[in-house]
Amino acid sequence: MKKKALALALAACMAASLAACSGSSSETTAAATDAETTAAETSAEETTAGEETEAEETTAEAAETEAAGGTLVMATNAEFEPWEYHDGDAIVGIDVEIAQAIGEKLGMDVEIEDMAFDSIIPAVTSGKADFGAAGMTVTEDRLQSVDFTDTYADASQVIIVKEGSDITGSADLVGKKIGVQLGTTGDLLSTDLVGDENVERYNKGFEAVQALLQDKIDAVVIDSAPAKAFVSQSEGLVILDEALSQEEYAIAVKKGNTELLDKINAALAELKEDGTIDEIINKYIPAE
């Protein structure tokens, strides 16, 4: 009986021991699983937070790049040497170089769109172009459609005639046929001087000069700088001493676009201050 009781006691102890060991292993496994889950969740949260931070930084960098970069579309009429004209496949000239210098100041590229002169302001007002630069004079009429930057150059309207012409000044233009480039201040001024019926309008200043050489018109009224270029390239033409007007050139911007207007004005101020504007103009129009 004693042996049987001892055997039963030992069996009970072993069962208790096995039960204790079994409970410890289950709890350890559960604890390990919980720890792994917590670690995985923490890692996932850290990864998500990191990705969000990286995404925010990327977005900020992209916005900063976009603000500093981009492209400005310039509307011009490349038939107005030396302000803008064709040199092979390229469009060059004073306005082109000034616009490119402004673009550099703003950290932006400048894309040039060549069009008829009287299409420039509509292109700016419609948003097809960001600004217009084409030896454009500031006038009250144009100010009704666009805003202008600070001026960057002076100009005057002059008269081109053939050598030996009986036209010696503006008073002699009355009753004569005057050639002008459509939509320019020369067009407006000539209309006031001789009446609309006596003004012949051309899309290009060069066409007006050719008409003069062919005796189709009696004189051409145009800005002084292109007038000098045309006369230097054609024999038998002269520029009269009298200046019909004194004008100032500026850049046209869509009305109400004060952000772009202020940026261009700031760039122009710097380019005037450091002598870049004078350097560009003197490159094309040497001081006499």
Side-chain angles (χ1 to χ4, degrees), residues 61-249:
E61 289 174 1
E64 184 177 349
T65 300
E66 184 177 352
T71 299
L72 288 171
V73 177
M74 165 185 165
T76 194
N77 173 239
E79 304 291 343
F80 204 56
E81 187 178 352
W83 297 95
E84 41 272 316
Y85 60 99
H86 292 275
D87 183 10
D89 294 332
I91 295 177
V92 299
I94 296 171
D95 283 326
V96 175
E97 292 201 23
I98 290 176
Q100 290 170 339
I102 290 171
E104 289 179 6
K105 289 288 185 183
L106 301 183
M108 303 181 76
D109 295 326
V110 174
E111 178 183 320
I112 302 173
E113 291 287 342
D114 186 20
M115 60 189 68
F117 186 84
D118 62 344
S119 296
I120 294 174
I121 287 180
V124 172
T125 57
S126 68
K128 179 180 179 181
D130 296 297
F131 66 90
M136 190 173 292
T137 304
V138 180
T139 66
E140 289 301 322
D141 184 58
R142 289 171 181 163
L143 281 169
Q144 294 179 20
S145 302
V146 294
D147 290 331
F148 279 101
T149 64
D150 297 333
T151 60
Y152 60 88
D154 298 323
S156 60
Q157 293 294 312
V158 297
I159 304 168
I160 304 175
V161 297
K162 294 183 74 172
E163 291 179 350
S165 171
D166 59 355
I167 299 174
T168 59
S170 58
D172 299 325
L173 292 176
V174 178
K176 304 291 187 180
K177 284 292 183 182
I178 311 302
V180 299
Q181 184 176 3
L182 179 66
T184 63
T185 49
D187 182 354
L188 302 174
L189 186 58
S190 297
T191 301
D192 290 340
L193 283 173
V194 302
D196 186 70
E197 68 278 5
N198 292 314
V199 176
E200 295 292 334
R201 297 175 176 86
Y202 301 88
N203 287 325
K204 304 175 182 180
F206 171 77
E207 294 173 351
V209 172
Q210 289 301 303
L212 175 60
L213 288 169
Q214 296 166 9
D215 294 320
K216 294 179 179 179
I217 55 177
D218 300 301
V220 172
V221 173
I222 197 167
D223 289 42
S224 56
K228 292 176 183 177
F230 288 136
V231 168
S232 68
Q233 296 163 8
S234 305
E235 292 184 6
L237 298 181
V238 295
I239 300 172
L240 301 184
D241 293 333
E242 179 186 358
L244 299 181
S245 67
Q246 294 295 329
E247 304 166 1
E248 295 179 315
Y249 287 163

